[in-house]
Amino acid sequence: MKRIFNAVIIGGGASGLVCAINAKLRDKSLKIAIIEKNDRVGKKLLATGNGRCNLTNKAVSPEKYIGSFQPQSAALLKKYDVAAIISFFRTLGLLTRFDSEGRCYPRSNQASSVLDVLRFACERLGVEIFCSQNVKSVRRFGAEFSVKTEADDFYSQKLVIACGSKASPKLGGSASGLDYLRNFGHNTAPFRPTLCPVRVKSDLLKSVKGLRALGKVSLYDKGKRLIKEESGEIQFTENALSGICIFNLSLFSKEGYTILADLFSDFSDKELLSLLKSNRKLFSTLSSDNIFTGSLHKRLAQLVLKMSGFSGFSKPCGELSDSELKAICRCAKGLRFKSCENSDFAQAQSAAGGLSGNELDEKTMQSKKINNLFVCGEAVDLCGECGGYNLHFAFASGMTVGDNL
């Protein structure tokens, strides 16, 4: 069936939904279609923030992002700042709250609340949504765009690429948006998984699988230059390091980089060594793997000892020499892991890569190469840290496109 619209949006995720709503709020006469390949819109949105949907963050700024669009993002983030995003959702009926870390969530603590107000707004404003539609081709004929699916042929004066990235393929993540953009002559950076566990080269991780510990992690490149530091909960899996602090390192991690994990970031070297000397006396008759009793999980303590050079734990704590305690102390303050690679897209919350920033007009999110072609959300080469930054950009970029449809 032939369907004619003023604008067609490919992708019914966060940026696509907000784009359509903002355009209709500005001009109710616009005929706007959203084409979504899943059986319903917003599937990925429901999974964000562990099902609570971290909408934005008080600390939003260009410094929280990487990618070729990062230098241009300041104006967009200034126009659609935290207050603007919260105000937009308030007009749709959503109440929000901030936690102690500055992260913004729906007051209901349910991601479904965010999706509901977006869906209801689309229905109320007359946005036409076509689900379970796989796009077969995207073309331009003169001043008109043609989008063909298995069921319909869509024609419009304006086209919006809002179909996300390859992250979370089970929720519909793919690289289709980049394929469309390349066909229009654009340059793109390939997607790579980010905000995910980082696989490391270590045969010892199996012994601490499932454990968590508070600490500080530091990422160093092959030249031993510090790239980034993060603090928080470190999670250990069979072959990877995980947790929000690791996710933020994954934005920069490459094969061969080094991650140092400080399990006592709240202790100086001198203070930790003093604690170990005290424990040497306190637990003098116990095996050496009890040296961290009261401060570390037993299996983590054993990992520290192994990585500091111990092959067994038969030696009593009381017989540990000062030099051995110093080696244990150094290790606990800097467990060294060689980065192998980021986990795959199935475990990634987001993806770096997308349309090259210098091919977008940041004031409109319109292509500099193709008139009336717009791009928003994860299809743009901009990726933020954990904490609501990626959703904020999805909303801000979607609203910007909506202003120009």
Side-chain angles (χ1 to χ4, degrees), residues 210-372:
L211 295 186
R212 304 177 180 216
L214 291 175
K216 181 177 73 174
V217 288
S218 306
L219 180 69
Y220 293 84
D221 65 13
K222 293 180 181 180
K224 298 182 180 180
R225 178 174 63 95
L226 177 64
I227 303 298
K228 188 171 180 61
E229 287 184 336
E230 287 283 323
S231 295
E233 186 179 72
I234 308 164
Q235 300 175 17
F236 298 88
T237 72
E238 187 171 340
N239 60 1
L241 301 178
S242 189
I244 291 176
C245 57
I246 295 294
F247 284 10
N248 286 338
L249 294 192
S250 74
L251 290 169
F252 306 90
S253 181
K254 296 180 181 179
E255 185 175 357
Y257 280 22
T258 299
I259 296 176
L260 293 185
D262 183 350
L263 302 180
F264 287 88
S265 56
D266 51 340
F267 280 68
S268 67
D269 291 3
K270 184 177 180 180
E271 288 170 336
L272 180 57
L273 184 59
S274 176
L275 172 68
L276 293 179
K277 287 180 177 180
S278 175
N279 285 355
R280 176 173 60 184
K281 183 177 181 180
L282 190 62
F283 309 121
S284 61
T285 62
L286 302 177
S287 58
S288 56
D289 57 342
N290 287 288
I291 193 67
F292 286 106
T293 296
S295 56
L296 275 187
H297 190 286
K298 183 73 168 285
R299 283 191 283 140
L300 261 183
Q302 292 173 342
L303 175 69
V304 171
L305 264 66
K306 287 178 181 177
M307 293 184 74
S308 64
F310 282 76
S311 57
F313 313 121
S314 58
K315 179 184 287 189
C317 289
E319 295 181 15
L320 292 173
S321 66
D322 285 352
S323 61
E324 286 174 324
L325 288 186
K326 287 179 181 178
I328 294 170
C329 179
R330 283 194 300 271
C331 194
K333 293 284 292 176
L335 286 174
R336 185 178 297 272
F337 298 97
K338 189 70 72 176
S339 171
C340 178
E341 60 181 354
N342 285 358
S343 295
D344 57 24
F345 286 106
Q347 293 181 277
Q349 293 184 9
S350 189
L355 176 62
S356 179
N358 60 14
E359 297 184 10
L360 270 179
D361 180 349
E362 65 273 16
K363 295 179 182 178
T364 62
M365 299 305 287
Q366 182 176 208
S367 162
K368 291 181 179 179
K369 290 188 172 185
I370 306 293
N371 194 39
N372 289 327

Side-chain angles (χ1 to χ4, degrees), residues 46-266:
L46 289 175
T48 60
N50 292 321
R52 295 187 297 151
C53 193
N54 184 184
L55 293 163
T56 180
N57 195 299
K58 286 183 178 179
V60 163
S61 71
E63 290 70 35
K64 294 294 184 179
Y65 298 86
I66 63 166
S68 61
F69 190 74
Q70 193 261 359
Q72 300 159 256
S73 65
L76 183 145
L77 297 175
K78 182 178 180 181
K79 179 180 180 182
Y80 286 113
D81 59 10
V82 176
I85 298 300
I86 292 174
S87 176
F88 172 80
F89 276 99
R90 183 66 184 90
T91 64
L92 302 184
L94 185 76
L95 298 183
T96 56
R97 65 170 185 84
F98 285 95
D99 69 8
S100 59
E101 300 295 320
R103 295 175 294 227
C104 179
Y105 293 94
R107 191 173 185 275
S108 67
N109 242 11
Q110 297 292 316
S112 57
S113 295
V114 180
L115 182 56
D116 283 345
V117 299
L118 292 174
R119 287 193 306 108
F120 296 156
C122 285
E123 292 175 9
R124 188 168 60 249
L125 294 167
V127 176
E128 296 188 50
I129 297 176
F130 299 85
C131 290
S132 300
Q133 295 257 26
N134 287 309
V135 173
K136 293 300 183 183
S137 68
V138 179
R139 296 176 182 172
R140 190 186 189 211
F141 300 99
E144 190 173 57
F145 292 96
S146 165
V147 180
K148 293 184 181 294
T149 70
E150 294 170 329
D152 298 289
D153 293 343
F154 296 83
Y155 295 89
S156 65
Q157 293 87 42
K158 297 183 178 182
L159 178 65
V160 182
I161 304 299
C163 39
S165 71
K166 289 181 71 174
S168 304
K170 288 185 177 180
L171 300 175
S174 76
S176 59
L178 299 197
D179 293 336
Y180 309 146
L181 292 167
R182 281 193 292 266
N183 289 339
F184 282 123
H186 281 289
N187 293 306
T188 63
F191 287 129
R192 63 179 179 86
T194 56
L195 304 192
C196 59
V198 176
R199 293 173 181 156
V200 296
K201 298 175 182 178
S202 175
D203 295 329
L204 299 176
L205 272 187
K206 293 179 181 179
S207 65
V208 291
K209 178 182 177 181
L211 295 186
R212 304 177 180 216
L214 291 175
K216 181 177 73 174
V217 288
S218 306
L219 180 69
Y220 293 84
D221 65 13
K222 293 180 181 180
K224 298 182 180 180
R225 178 174 63 95
L226 177 64
I227 303 298
K228 188 171 180 61
E229 287 184 336
E230 287 283 323
S231 295
E233 186 179 72
I234 308 164
Q235 300 175 17
F236 298 88
T237 72
E238 187 171 340
N239 60 1
L241 301 178
S242 189
I244 291 176
C245 57
I246 295 294
F247 284 10
N248 286 338
L249 294 192
S250 74
L251 290 169
F252 306 90
S253 181
K254 296 180 181 179
E255 185 175 357
Y257 280 22
T258 299
I259 296 176
L260 293 185
D262 183 350
L263 302 180
F264 287 88
S265 56
D266 51 340

